Amino acid sequence: MTGTGRSRWSRWFVVLSVAFLVCWRLGALVGIPRRAEVILALFGFVFHVVFGMAYLLIPSYFGTVLSTDRIPLVHLVLAVSGTVLLVLSAFAVGPPSLGMLGALLWSGGVAAFVSALFWSIRDELRRGETGTASHRQAFEWVDRYANRFVPVAFFYLVVGSYELLARSTTLPGLTDGYFPRITHLLAAGFVVLLVFTLGVRLAPRFLGVPAPRALTAVVLPAGAVGPGLVAIGLSSGPVFVAGAVAEAVAFVGFAALYLVVFLQSDRRRIGSESVLAGVLSGVAGVTIGLTVALGPLVGLPPFSAAAVQAHLQLNLLGFLGLVVVGFALMFFPPTAGRFRGSNERTARLTIAVLVAGVVVSVVGQFTGGSVVATVGDGVVLIGTFGYGYLLTRLLVEIGARRAG
């Protein structure tokens, strides 16, 4: 498969991710059902950009290339159509079979994705290859260690997708089909763990500072076991508490790791501040989750629904949203474009607007101030349009250059 082919489908995944992001934030502003919002955010925005970048990054991090040029296109069609149908089913639009068809299409896309990547890296995975360049020996230990957790992330993706399918069909489920249990397997198990696994390689390369080995050795195992324990134990009991503690360790450790790399770096990339804000938001979100888990043990009153919603916002919009935006802008810096606004000032202003909107929205959710939360959602939407403009204009321009 040619590099141009891989890049083309990765760009399409990213562009469609932006479209889902805009739909999500518009929906949040007007007040769509929570399940529809979660599907747009997780299955639409987050997963599409992760899928697209994974096709590029994971094979290269094992010192190889993607072995097929057909699967990414098939996966793209299945993922988009499956997500759209799942969103429609969350609105109770159409027959009940709509959700089942959406789950079938989504799971089929996941099967194609995992099969293509696993087949591409199978030999390198067995041999422990890292793809680390000879002039980056200081990065090799972390690279080799991080690669071991990629199959764990794949495992969570497969299990979560199977559970989604079993929930909509007559297939026997591994769990009770509780939707938050499924989304936790997919979000924390696959996406967050993959962010940790790829992040300990990406951030050091962008910022030019090797990741601390001790923190890496703590973050990845904790991030690997935490999601499974939380999903099994949700939302009470010792298993849930153990999972919440493990996730808290992983989030705090990753935030500390990124902060060390960020502060020691003498080259700040566009998007690095967004990732920093995202990891700090993740610490805040996991703190609420840990408090919810430990509350009954220490006699704390139950958290309000508004606080639980703030936890969701901090993790989904704050952590995943800002981290995805940050890394996307590092990969596709607007300064590489030749269009109006393609400069550092516009990019940093967009990030500042997004961060401000997340803060205001979360404060409104946590305090129960619906007007404040709405204002925050409106500010986030403005930042979303800015991010979407910068990224899509650049990607379209890159595609036009390569086609010419």
Side-chain angles (χ1 to χ4, degrees), residues 236-368:
S236 63
V239 175
F240 177 60
V241 172
V245 171
E247 293 237 57
V249 169
F251 270 86
V252 172
F254 185 72
L257 182 151
Y258 185 80
L259 193 59
V260 168
V261 172
F262 181 85
L263 293 178
Q264 290 183 358
S265 175
D266 57 2
R267 60 185 199 201
R268 299 291 167 79
R269 301 286 294 263
I270 295 174
S272 58
E273 296 89 349
S274 181
V275 177
L276 178 61
V279 297
L280 295 177
S281 177
V283 171
V286 80
T287 299
I288 295 177
L290 186 61
T291 306
V292 171
L294 296 177
L297 300 180
V298 297
L300 292 177
F303 262 58
S304 64
V308 174
Q309 178 66 15
H311 166 73
L312 178 65
Q313 289 280 78
L314 283 165
N315 285 322
L316 198 53
L317 177 58
F319 177 72
L320 289 178
L322 293 176
V323 167
V324 164
V325 166
F327 279 125
L329 292 177
M330 288 189 204
F331 268 104
F332 306 107
T335 51
R338 302 169 187 167
F339 54 90
R340 185 179 180 86
S342 56
N343 53 63
E344 285 194 21
R345 181 180 178 183
T346 304
R348 296 191 191 283
L349 178 60
T350 297
I351 292 171
V353 171
L354 283 169
V355 173
V358 170
V359 171
V360 174
S361 177
V362 169
V363 168
Q365 292 287 351
F366 198 85
T367 60

Side-chain angles (χ1 to χ4, degrees), residues 25 29 313 357 360-365 369-378:
R25 297 322 304 168
L29 189 62
Q313 289 280 78
V360 174
S361 177
V362 169
V363 168
Q365 292 287 351
S370 58
V371 174
V372 176
T374 301
V375 170
D377 288 339

Side-chain angles (χ1 to χ4, degrees), residues 13-324:
F13 269 106
V14 175
V15 167
L16 289 165
S17 166
V18 171
F20 280 118
L21 172 62
V22 172
C23 292
W24 168 31
R25 297 322 304 168
L26 281 170
L29 189 62
V30 301
I32 61 175
R34 180 179 294 184
R35 180 167 298 177
E37 188 179 335
V38 170
I39 293 171
L40 282 169
L42 181 59
F43 291 72
F45 164 53
V46 174
F47 263 110
H48 279 73
V49 70
V50 169
F51 286 147
M53 298 313 299
Y55 278 121
L56 286 178
L57 293 175
I58 291 179
S60 68
Y61 280 179
F62 283 86
T64 186
V65 295
L66 192 66
S67 60
T68 173
D69 60 354
R70 295 184 178 89
I71 292 300
L73 173 57
V74 173
H75 181 199
L76 181 68
V77 173
L78 292 173
V80 173
S81 56
T83 301
V84 170
L85 292 180
L86 288 171
V87 171
L88 291 176
S89 70
F91 281 100
V93 174
S97 59
L98 205 62
M100 180 182 70
L101 180 58
L104 280 168
L105 292 171
W106 171 265
S107 301
V110 166
F113 170 76
V114 173
S115 299
L117 283 178
F118 182 77
W119 186 257
S120 300
I121 67 173
R122 66 193 187 285
D123 293 332
E124 290 74 17
L125 182 64
R126 187 180 65 254
R127 294 194 301 263
E129 299 287 345
T130 67
T132 306
S134 58
H135 66 283
R136 294 186 182 273
Q137 293 305 308
F139 297 76
E140 186 174 359
W141 186 91
V142 168
D143 293 352
R144 193 178 301 278
Y145 186 74
N147 279 358
R148 299 171 186 170
F149 292 88
V150 171
V152 181
F154 282 4
F155 172 78
Y156 276 117
L157 175 61
V158 170
V159 172
S161 298
Y162 176 82
E163 285 299 281
L164 177 71
L165 185 60
R167 185 178 185 274
S168 306
T169 64
T170 57
L171 288 172
L174 302 175
T175 68
D176 57 4
Y178 183 44
F179 193 68
R181 206 183 307 277
I182 295 171
T183 54
H184 202 91
L185 286 168
L186 292 170
F190 174 66
V191 177
V192 174
L193 180 57
L194 203 61
V195 166
F196 292 161
T197 302
L198 300 183
V200 297
R201 299 189 65 164
L202 282 174
R205 280 165 171 76
F206 279 125
L207 299 175
V209 178
R213 294 186 181 185
L215 286 173
T216 302
V218 171
V219 169
L220 297 184
V225 302
L229 294 175
V230 170
I232 293 171
L234 201 70
S235 57
S236 63
V239 175
F240 177 60
V241 172
V245 171
E247 293 237 57
V249 169
F251 270 86
V252 172
F254 185 72
L257 182 151
Y258 185 80
L259 193 59
V260 168
V261 172
F262 181 85
L263 293 178
Q264 290 183 358
S265 175
D266 57 2
R267 60 185 199 201
R268 299 291 167 79
R269 301 286 294 263
I270 295 174
S272 58
E273 296 89 349
S274 181
V275 177
L276 178 61
V279 297
L280 295 177
S281 177
V283 171
V286 80
T287 299
I288 295 177
L290 186 61
T291 306
V292 171
L294 296 177
L297 300 180
V298 297
L300 292 177
F303 262 58
S304 64
V308 174
Q309 178 66 15
H311 166 73
L312 178 65
Q313 289 280 78
L314 283 165
N315 285 322
L316 198 53
L317 177 58
F319 177 72
L320 289 178
L322 293 176
V323 167
V324 164

